[in-house]
């Protein structure tokens, strides 16, 4: 079966514009995660979905960032009024079982490389 | 405040020798630790994990050691192979939370 897919793979935008990043998780996976990796940094947690609900939004860096998930499947991460510091690789992961049993089964997509000029 | 630290940005070893990647953490509430491997232009892939109730977990050529008193874990790869060349991330999870906290990664190069 297909893995986690993300689109677009690359996105170049101008400062101040809004962008939408999409994640298609593995079919049947109930948990979905967004992370970002800035240059020279580790992965930084942004938000976690269980089904369509987001029990943990603690990693969203500002109110310019929002995410939603519909139908327990596709998720969209939206960044409004982009800034240069938003430039990073945005990674999505999905898991079939949240919690201890499923921590090790977070499957990552290839990421979206966002460059804000 | 970096809770998971990988102090070596890079490591180079010869094929067939042992690779040892290190990771330190500061949060004593972490109860589960993972190693991920990442190739360029790909997402990270899970490698091996360890619960805080254990001090060692082995899977083939990969072994993770956990020293809770020192808040230190390490990943041993033996024997190292050129295909192991990648960036390795250490990650940790606090009980009751779903999020993983990652280190900055160590780039491993295995020379033929």
């Amino acid at each position: 079966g297909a893995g986690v897919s993300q689109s677009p793979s690359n996105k170049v935008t101008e400062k101040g514009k809004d962008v939408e990043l999409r994640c298609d998780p593995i079919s049947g996976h109930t948990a979905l995660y967004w992370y970002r990796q800035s240059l020279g940094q580790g992965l930084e947690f942004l938000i976690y979905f269980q089904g369509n609900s987001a029990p943990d939004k603690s990693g969203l860096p500002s109110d310019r960032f929002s995410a939603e998930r519909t139908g327990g499947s596709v998720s969209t991460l939206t960044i409004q009024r982009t800034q240069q510091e938003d430039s990073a690789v945005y990674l999505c992961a999905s898991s079939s079982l949240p919690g201890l049993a499923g921590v090790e089964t977070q499957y990552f997509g290839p990421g979206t490389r966002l460059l804000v000029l | 405040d970096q809770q998971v630290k990988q102090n070596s940005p890079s490591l180079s070893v010869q094929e067939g020798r042992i690779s040892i990647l290190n990771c330190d953490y500061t949060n004593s509430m972490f109860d589960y630790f993972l190693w991920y491997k990442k190739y360029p232009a790909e997402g990270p892939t899970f490698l091996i994990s360890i619960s805080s109730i254990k001090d060692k977990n082995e899977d083939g050529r990969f072994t993770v050691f956990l020293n809770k008193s020192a808040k230190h874990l390490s990943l041993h790869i033996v024997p190292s192979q050129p295909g192991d060349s990648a960036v390795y991330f250490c990650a940790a999870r606090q009980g009751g939370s779903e999020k993983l906290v990652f280190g900055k990664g160590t780039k491993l190069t295995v020379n033929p």
Side-chain angles (χ1 to χ4, degrees):
Chain A
V4 177
S5 62
Q6 293 185 245
S7 60
S9 55
N10 293 282
K11 176 72 176 178
V12 180
T13 191
E14 294 180 349
K15 177 181 173 181
K17 296 283 181 68
D18 298 351
V19 295
E20 284 190 354
L21 311 180
R22 177 187 169 108
C23 173
D24 283 88
I26 293 173
S27 178
H29 278 191
T30 58
L32 186 147
Y33 311 78
W34 282 98
Y35 295 84
R36 76 173 175 181
Q37 185 181 16
S38 302
L39 190 63
Q41 302 297 313
L43 280 72
E44 173 191 11
F45 170 83
L46 297 178
I47 188 169
Y48 153 65
F49 286 94
Q50 174 57 26
N52 292 335
S53 301
D56 190 349
K57 305 179 183 179
S58 63
L60 294 178
S62 76
D63 58 8
R64 295 187 296 105
F65 288 72
S66 63
E68 65 175 12
R69 188 178 185 197
T70 55
S73 181
V74 172
S75 177
T76 302
L77 177 69
T78 301
I79 309 173
Q80 295 179 309
R81 304 181 302 282
T82 52
Q83 303 295 312
Q84 289 181 332
E85 61 263 28
D86 300 334
S87 297
V89 177
Y90 289 81
L91 290 153
C92 174
S94 70
S95 173
S96 58
L97 291 170
L100 180 62
V103 169
E104 65 269 33
T105 54
Q106 284 191 30
Y107 296 93
F108 281 83
T112 294
R113 284 150 192 80
L114 175 66
L115 177 62
V116 182
L117 300 177
Chain B
D1 176 30
Q2 201 178 347
Q3 298 186 66
V4 177
K5 299 178 183 178
Q6 294 178 257
N7 292 318
S8 297
S10 63
L11 175 67
S12 183
V13 300
Q14 285 299 118
E15 181 178 6
R17 307 294 287 269
I18 185 170
S19 295
I20 300 176
L21 298 106
N22 293 303
C23 178
D24 297 291
Y25 62 96
T26 58
N27 187 345
S28 58
M29 301 300 291
F30 287 146
D31 66 351
Y32 206 78
F33 303 89
L34 309 90
W35 285 92
Y36 278 83
K37 174 180 175 179
K38 185 180 183 301
Y39 293 116
E42 294 183 12
T45 55
F46 169 73
L47 196 55
I48 192 169
S49 63
I50 188 167
S51 165
S52 60
I53 62 173
K54 296 185 176 181
D55 56 17
K56 177 182 175 181
N57 188 26
E58 188 172 355
D59 184 3
R61 297 185 297 114
F62 302 91
T63 303
V64 55
F65 295 92
L66 175 63
N67 182 334
K68 284 182 63 179
S69 60
K71 294 191 177 65
H72 177 84
L73 65 156
S74 61
L75 174 68
H76 292 211
I77 307 173
V78 56
S80 302
Q81 299 173 354
D84 296 330
S85 297
V87 177
Y88 289 78
F89 290 98
C90 172
R93 192 201 72 156
Q94 180 172 332
S97 172
E98 290 303 320
K99 76 178 187 182
L100 297 179
V101 180
F102 284 82
K104 293 185 178 182
T106 296
K107 182 177 181 180
L108 174 66
T109 302
V110 181
N111 301 302

